C-alpha cells in the first residue's frame, strides 16, 4: 500500500525555471494538501483541494499554482522559481477529517 | 480555526513521562483537538484526536479538561526515538479537515 507518493524526491532549479511537483494517493481520499517547510520551521499550507474539482488558497499561495487532475492526483507548479522557494514540500491527503497522511517530501533548492 | 499556543521546545530523558500542553482559549463547541508527530526528514504523522476528557491509544494519551481551553499530550516512558516535533491542531473533525493549518509545534528532545 503506497499511501501518498511524491515525485521527485530531490530537485535543483535555477532562478526563473519552472517545474511541477507531483503527488498521488491511493487511499480514495477526498481532500489533498500542499505544504512547504523551511529549515527549523513548522509547515505552512500553500494550497488545498477539499474534493475533486475544487482548489483553494492556503496561508502562502503566492508563486504557486495547483491542479487537482483527478481524485488521486494533486500537482503543485512553480512558474518562475525564486531562491525564497527553496524548501521541503509535503503533499498530504485525508478523507476530509483531521487525520491526514503525508508523503515523504520533495526537497527543492533554487539557486 | 482556533489559534493554538505550545512551548517551543522541551527536553526529557529516556524512561520519563513527557507532557506537552497546548493552549486553545478560543476553541469552538464543535472543535476537536488533534496531535501530529514529525520526525526529522519525514512528513508529519497523526497521533491522536479527542473532544473531551481522556483518549488513549498505543502511542499516547490526550487529556482535555472540562473547559477545553487547553489539552495535554502525554507520552509514557519516552525513548530516544520519540525525539520529534509535536503539533497541536484544533478544528472541526470534518469540514475543517479541508484546511489543515499547522503551527510551529514543540520540539521534544529525548536524551540518554
Amino acid at each position: 500500500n503506497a499511501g501518498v507518493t511524491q515525485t521527485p524526491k530531490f530537485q535543483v532549479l535555477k532562478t526563473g525555471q519552472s517545474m511541477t511537483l507531483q503527488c498521488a494517493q491511493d487511499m480514495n481520499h477526498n481532500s489533498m494538501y500542499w505544504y512547504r517547510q523551511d529549515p527549523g520551521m513548522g509547515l505552512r499550507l500553500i494550497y488545498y483541494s477539499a474534493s475533486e474539482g475544487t482548489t483553494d488558497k492556503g496561508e502562502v499561495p503566492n508563486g504557486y499554482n495547483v491542479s487537482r487532475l483527478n481524485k488521486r492526483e494533486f500537482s503543485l507548479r512553480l512558474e518562475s522559481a525564486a531562491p525564497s522557494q527553496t524548501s521541503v514540500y509535503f503533499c498530504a491527503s485525508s478523507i476530509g477529517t483531521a487525520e491526514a497522511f503525508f508523503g515523504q517530501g520533495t526537497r527543492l533548492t533554487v539557486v | 480555526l482556533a489559534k493554538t499556543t505550545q512551548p517551543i521546545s522541551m527536553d526529557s530523558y529516556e524512561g520519563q513521562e513527557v507532557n506537552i500542553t497546548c493552549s486553545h482559549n478560543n476553541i469552538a463547541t464543535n472543535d476537536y483537538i488533534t496531535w501530529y508527530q514529525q520526525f526529522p526528514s519525514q512528513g508529519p504523522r497523526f497521533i491522536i484526536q479527542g473532544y473531551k476528557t481522556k483518549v488513549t491509544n498505543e502511542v499516547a494519551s490526550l487529556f482535555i479538561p472540562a473547559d477545553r481551553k487547553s489539552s495535554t499530550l502525554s507520552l509514557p516512558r519516552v525513548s530516544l526515538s520519540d525525539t520529534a516535533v509535536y503539533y497541536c491542531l484544533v478544528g472541526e473533525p470534518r469540514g475543517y479537515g479541508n484546511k489543515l493549518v499547522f503551527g510551529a509545534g514543540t520540539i521534544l528532545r529525548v536524551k540518554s
Side-chain angles (χ1 to χ4, degrees):
Chain A
N1 195 355
V4 179
T5 303
Q6 292 183 233
T7 55
K9 289 185 172 51
F10 301 92
Q11 183 71 48
V12 178
L13 288 179
K14 293 182 179 179
T15 298
Q17 285 185 321
S18 62
M19 81 159 294
T20 299
L21 280 63
Q22 307 286 353
C23 175
Q25 53 91 7
D26 62 3
M27 296 173 282
N28 201 35
H29 283 168
N30 294 319
S31 301
M32 297 186 73
Y33 313 82
W34 276 106
Y35 295 88
R36 61 175 289 175
Q37 186 170 36
D38 299 335
M41 306 292 286
L43 288 89
R44 290 185 291 172
L45 181 64
I46 304 172
Y47 271 94
Y48 65 102
S49 171
S51 60
E52 184 179 358
T54 69
T55 60
D56 285 285
K57 296 179 180 179
E59 301 170 282
V60 289
N62 291 343
Y64 305 94
N65 286 301
V66 291
S67 295
R68 183 73 182 267
L69 303 170
N70 47 55
K71 192 170 186 179
R72 289 188 64 248
E73 299 172 289
F74 189 37
S75 62
L76 178 71
R77 183 162 179 83
L78 287 70
E79 290 291 351
S80 179
S84 60
Q85 293 178 304
T86 293
S87 190
V88 179
Y89 291 84
F90 288 103
C91 176
S93 71
S94 80
I95 61 172
T97 69
E99 182 176 358
F101 295 81
F102 283 76
Q104 287 302 299
T106 295
R107 284 150 184 77
L108 176 67
T109 301
V110 183
V111 298
Chain B
L1 295 175
K3 179 177 171 58
T4 61
T5 303
Q6 303 175 232
I8 295 173
S9 65
M10 296 180 67
D11 290 332
S12 182
Y13 289 92
E14 287 186 291
Q16 290 187 331
E17 178 184 75
V18 171
N19 296 310
I20 305 174
T21 298
C22 179
S23 297
H24 28 79
N25 291 319
N26 296 322
I27 190 168
T29 302
N30 294 334
D31 287 346
Y32 277 61
I33 298 127
T34 307
W35 285 83
Y36 279 80
Q37 174 190 57
Q38 185 181 24
F39 297 118
S41 302
Q42 294 186 24
R45 179 178 76 117
F46 172 91
I47 301 177
I48 197 166
Q49 182 182 75
Y51 183 80
K52 62 180 179 180
T53 64
K54 176 183 174 181
V55 179
T56 297
N57 62 22
E58 66 279 4
V59 176
S61 294
L62 178 59
F63 298 92
I64 305 167
D67 67 5
R68 302 198 330 118
K69 293 185 182 300
S70 67
S71 58
T72 299
L73 177 73
S74 181
L75 304 172
R77 297 180 298 282
V78 295
S79 64
L80 294 175
S81 63
D82 291 313
T83 293
V85 180
Y86 292 83
Y87 298 95
C88 167
L89 285 72
V90 173
E92 294 191 31
R94 278 201 103 86
Y96 130 80
N98 295 331
K99 188 174 183 179
L100 291 174
V101 176
F102 287 72
T106 297
I107 300 170
L108 173 64
R109 288 180 281 256
V110 180
K111 305 174 184 178
S112 59

